[in-house]
Amino acid sequence: MSPRPSIDHIRRPQILAAAAEVIVERGVAGTRIADVAERCGVSPPALLYWFDSKEQLLAEALTVDDDRFYEELEARVDGAAAPGERMVALIETATESADDFALWMELWTWALRDADLRAARERFDARWRAAIEAIVIDGVATGEFGAADPAQAALAIAALIDGLSAQAALGDPEVTNPRLTETVLASAERLLGAELPAGAGGRASP
């Protein structure tokens, strides 16, 4: 049995960060394992020991990105007990990172053809909608929100953030990050039947 290739001097997050960079630059179709290995400073065989394919690299890079998002969200809502404050924190955290959405767009494209990536997409989306739904449930229970259907509201808010974030990532001049945030907040207010509190930067002028 051949000895285990050593990449101990490269931490796993660094490998996945390099994979994310290359995939965003070249797309999954244009990315080779050799490209990621070169970016990391390791040999392709060493990288292939740990990751079977570039599709696996994409899925695991997105897992790291997803975990980072929820860690950031948890830090922002720490001490924000009211459901409205938590909803604003969630929307702002998501829309402020819209420029990094290209990696998720790659997942959507390749999930159409790859069963493993399709399953990963389902897990990510389920976690995303559940996070929104939990806030809506609390808001309805406390009376801060109107009589909204939590699952339906979560689906609509998640879809709006995802769709507009994709347009922002594509450089649509009509979808700047501030406008993205304001649009989602205004739509969330209508869906929830409640006025949401001003976020960290306050509300932009109409």
Side-chain angles (χ1 to χ4, degrees):
M1 183 175 180
S2 61
R4 168 174 166 168
S6 176
I7 55 173
D8 293 339
H9 64 294
I10 300 290
R11 292 182 301 170
R12 189 180 186 87
Q14 290 175 310
I15 297 172
L16 293 173
E21 289 175 2
V22 175
I23 290 170
V24 167
E25 291 170 7
R26 305 186 183 191
V28 174
T31 295
R32 303 173 303 163
I33 289 292
D35 299 324
V36 179
E38 181 179 1
R39 185 72 58 96
C40 296
V42 301
S43 68
L47 196 60
L48 281 169
Y49 183 88
W50 296 94
F51 300 99
D52 294 334
S53 66
K54 59 188 179 184
E55 288 81 10
Q56 183 188 2
L57 277 169
L58 172 61
E60 295 205 28
L62 282 166
T63 298
V64 170
D65 187 68
D66 203 45
D67 289 342
R68 176 202 55 76
F69 169 79
Y70 288 104
E71 288 171 4
E72 182 181 347
L73 176 60
E74 183 177 355
R76 290 184 70 161
V77 301
D78 185 31
E85 293 175 343
R86 286 157 51 204
M87 182 62 72
V88 171
L90 179 143
I91 290 171
E92 289 187 339
T93 303
T95 57
E96 286 169 6
S97 60
D99 292 340
D100 301 326
F101 211 70
L103 199 61
W104 292 95
M105 293 164 66
E106 287 289 334
L107 172 66
W108 291 347
T109 300
W110 282 80
L112 291 170
R113 304 172 182 85
D114 186 282
D116 290 338
L117 289 179
R118 188 179 306 118
R121 196 280 308 162
E122 291 174 358
R123 290 194 303 272
F124 290 133
D125 279 352
R127 184 184 187 185
W128 175 217
R129 293 167 189 160
I132 301 173
E133 185 175 348
I135 298 174
V136 180
I137 289 172
D138 287 348
V140 172
T142 61
E144 185 175 351
F145 300 161
D149 179 284
Q152 184 63 29
L155 178 64
I157 292 169
L160 184 60
I161 292 173
D162 290 349
L164 288 176
S165 293
Q167 293 182 37
L170 290 168
D172 189 328
E174 297 295 321
V175 190
T176 62
N177 278 42
R179 188 172 186 185
L180 165 56
T181 303
E182 282 300 306
T183 299
V184 176
L185 287 170
S187 297
E189 288 183 333
R190 290 191 292 271
L191 286 164
L192 300 173
E195 183 176 349
L196 296 174
R203 297 295 183 89
S205 300

